[in-house]
Amino acid sequence: MKLKHVHSCSDGVRLETAEGIMHIAFCTPGIARIRYTLDSELSRKESLVVVSRPKAESVGWTVADQHGHLEISTALLTIQVDKLTCAFSYWDANGKLLTKEPARGGKTLERTEVYRTVFDASADKVETDQGADGLRARAEGINRRLDRQAYHTKLEFEWQEGEALYGLGSHEEGMMNPGPASIFVPAKYESGCPGSCIYARLRDFGRLLFVHDLP
């Protein structure tokens, strides 16, 4: 995913790539909001997670064009963007690495169609039976209609040696640090994902999440 153009605006930094656009805005000097889409413009839908945020222009940042990468920085945080792959890495004010995506790039979006079921109000036949999970009802006159376009998403990171991960939902095993594991996190249990390297991520979406820790 090659970086093509960079635009620094009052509300953040817009990155135009060979595979869509990204936008980086700073809510505070230490909190960055990053969005990515394959569409020509970002969605204007209100967030279901964030109820309010300060104006981006109230936070100062700089954009430095370095050999092979960009550096987008505030007083507390620097995001390096690889020009060839758009892989992000995150650094604190002292130059310490917080976390990073794989060098090949760690962001994947795949378009998908979302359908909804529409019942025919004129259908008057409902069949019922008893199954292993209780009473079931089946109605005639069921139609599927295209509701909207959405995305299958994947975000990858390379964990540091000995790094612990916390906040990946609720688990029957009682693990605080899941370590090497494959984890299914229902949306209602999803939370920020803080690591032992003093950073956290908040995923602003209302969908199911699978976490895979793979070599």
Side-chain angles (χ1 to χ4, degrees), residues 21-132:
I21 60 173
M22 303 179 197
H23 187 267
I24 301 174
F26 290 97
C27 303
T28 72
I31 300 176
R33 184 190 186 205
I34 299 172
R35 293 182 289 169
Y36 173 35
T37 182
L38 298 181
D39 296 329
S40 59
E41 294 295 335
L42 295 165
S43 171
R44 296 183 180 275
K45 290 183 178 179
E46 291 292 329
S47 169
L48 298 177
V49 176
V50 180
V51 295
S52 65
R53 62 175 62 92
K55 293 183 179 180
E57 55 261 32
S58 66
V59 180
W61 73 83
T62 60
V63 179
D65 190 352
Q66 305 290 354
H67 178 70
H69 69 272
L70 290 178
E71 289 187 356
I72 304 168
S73 305
T74 68
L76 298 178
L77 178 66
T78 294
I79 302 174
Q80 292 187 2
V81 183
D82 189 286
K83 293 180 181 179
L84 291 179
T85 65
C86 286
F88 284 20
S89 58
Y90 302 83
W91 307 76
D92 69 12
N94 297 316
K96 178 183 177 181
L97 177 65
L98 298 173
T99 188
K100 65 177 182 178
E101 297 171 355
R104 67 180 185 280
K107 297 170 284 293
T108 304
L109 290 181
E110 295 180 359
R111 295 185 187 274
T112 186
E113 295 179 339
V114 179
Y115 290 85
R116 61 188 177 93
T117 301
V118 179
F119 294 93
D120 185 354
S122 64
D124 56 0
K125 184 177 181 181
V126 177
E127 297 179 355
T128 60
D129 60 15
Q130 191 74 27

Side-chain angles (χ1 to χ4, degrees), residues 4 30-31 56 81 92 95 112 129 168 198-199 209 211-212:
K4 298 171 64 176
I31 300 176
V81 183
D92 69 12
T112 186
D129 60 15
L168 289 172
I198 318 301
Y199 67 89
L209 170 71
V211 179
H212 301 276

Side-chain angles (χ1 to χ4, degrees), residues 154-176:
K154 181 168 67 173
L155 182 60
E156 301 174 73
F157 288 93
E158 290 185 351
W159 313 123
Q160 300 184 54
E161 185 69 27
E163 181 176 357
L165 304 177
Y166 306 111
L168 289 172
S170 302
H171 309 290
E172 295 178 356
E173 301 90 341
M175 298 182 297
M176 289 186 64

Side-chain angles (χ1 to χ4, degrees), residues 159 165 168 178-179 181-185 190 203 209-213:
W159 313 123
L165 304 177
L168 289 172
S182 293
I183 305 168
F184 163 70
V185 184
E190 170 58 2
R203 289 160 294 278
L209 170 71
F210 289 86
V211 179
H212 301 276
D213 189 359

